[in-house]
Amino acid sequence: MTQDPYIALAGVRKGYRVGGEAIPIFSALDLAIPRGDFVAVMGPSGSGKSTLLNMLAGIDVPDAGSLSIGNHRLDRMGEARSTWRAHNMGIVFQFYNLLPMLNAAENVELPLLLKPLSARERRDRVGKMLDLVGLSGREKQYPSMMSGGQQQRVGVARAIVSDPGLLLCDEPTGDLDRKSADEVLEILSFLNRQLEKTIVMVTHDPQAARSAKRTLHLDKGQFVEEKRAAS
Ligand code: ADP
């Protein structure tokens, strides 16, 4: 028996209108990602990587075609998408998107405020996540006191604190030096291999792409899978 892919796009059409002019981005995009995959998405600027991530995140919707995640049709979900997103996916941003007036623990705790958990349960879970990203002991530090790499690790802890099945990463190493980037990539690999998170990561960084199980190149509205030498 074949299993349905975890993420499935079929015949997705998407474009924008700017001043009456139609800008097509995808005319018939298909994509199948099984549960537990770690996919890097690369492609030239303007090829539609952000548009794709926004559709996967349910921030934007296809003009036509279907988009399902875990057998839920995001394109038909309407207003319920934002609640669904909060419970089913975590997002890691290029520039971390931490709230500067909150310390590391408070930033990580934010998604848990939507859950029926006690303060103690929230604190325990936040502690475990900060430990997992190598930041235990830094609970009380504010983003302005942290390096970019540390801030991004807080961002990863916040993305997984609700235990979502899917992680969407938008250029997660784009603002980091090589060493910090590699530390973040190691954490993402761990989350994929050990905690079975499905990861879709947009990146320009070939080293980051090598951390993924496969790389899809987006060009002229279609995906081309990169062939890899067996390692
Ligand atoms: P990438 O992330 O690969 O650089 P994007 O998804 O940001 O590509 O953009 C793809 C194309 O869609 C570009 O030509 C961009 O100018 C256009 N575009 C993206 N978002 C909008 C929008 N909100 N309104 C109009 N055009 C947009």
Side-chain angles (χ1 to χ4, degrees):
M1 193 181 83
T2 53
Q3 240 189 341
D4 285 341
Y6 179 49
I7 300 176
L9 276 72
V12 163
R13 180 159 56 81
K14 181 72 187 168
Y16 296 102
R17 288 200 83 80
V18 178
E21 194 192 339
I23 303 176
I25 300 170
F26 304 122
S27 59
L29 187 69
D30 298 324
L31 175 66
I33 297 180
R35 203 179 280 277
D37 206 352
F38 183 175
V39 181
V41 176
M42 301 188 85
S45 181
S47 58
K49 302 180 299 297
S50 305
T51 303
L52 172 75
L53 268 192
N54 285 342
M55 289 194 294
L56 291 176
I59 293 165
D60 206 346
V61 281
D63 297 332
S66 66
L67 192 171
S68 348
I69 301 183
N71 287 327
H72 295 271
R73 285 282 299 264
L74 256 67
D75 53 296
R76 290 185 180 164
M77 216 178 261
E79 295 300 308
R81 279 200 315 275
S82 51
T83 312
W84 190 86
R85 178 193 319 130
H87 288 98
N88 292 280
M89 63 180 80
I91 306 182
V92 178
F93 304 89
Q94 178 173 4
F95 297 108
Y96 333 125
N97 288 21
L98 302 180
L99 294 182
M101 70 295 260
L102 300 183
N103 65 31
E106 290 163 343
N107 266 288
V108 175
E109 186 185 20
L110 274 181
L112 293 183
L113 299 176
L114 296 167
K115 303 231 166 204
L117 296 174
S118 67
R120 192 203 169 105
E121 286 169 320
R122 290 201 304 271
R123 199 170 53 241
D124 286 352
R125 180 110 193 115
V126 167
K128 282 198 184 104
M129 293 304 107
L130 284 172
D131 192 29
L132 196 152
V133 299
L135 290 177
S136 45
R138 296 192 185 266
E139 287 77 2
K140 299 257 184 292
Q141 278 196 4
Y142 285 83
S144 60
M145 299 155 67
M146 297 183 143
S147 69
Q150 288 168 338
Q151 290 184 62
Q152 190 58 300
R153 285 189 273 149
V154 174
V156 173
R158 178 187 55 190
I160 57 169
V161 74
S162 300
D163 200 21
L166 175 62
L167 263 191
L168 300 178
C169 305
D170 189 4
E171 295 274 7
T173 60
D175 193 47
L176 301 179
D177 60 77
R178 189 69 265 155
K179 182 170 175 288
S180 304
D182 289 343
E183 285 166 1
V184 167
L185 293 168
E186 217 167 282
I187 293 167
L188 294 179
S189 290
F190 175 86
L191 296 175
N192 173 247
R193 286 171 206 279
Q194 307 298 323
L195 303 186
E196 296 171 353
K197 305 289 180 200
T198 305
I199 303 182
V200 179
M201 171 176 69
V202 164
T203 185
H204 282 111
D205 174 5
Q207 188 110 345
R210 280 194 285 276
S211 300
K213 288 179 175 161
R214 60 192 180 114
T215 300
L216 298 173
H217 289 268
L218 199 47
D219 200 11
K220 300 187 181 69
Q222 292 295 332
F223 284 117
V224 181
E225 179 144 9
E226 182 177 302
K227 299 261 181 296
R228 288 196 188 178
S231 56

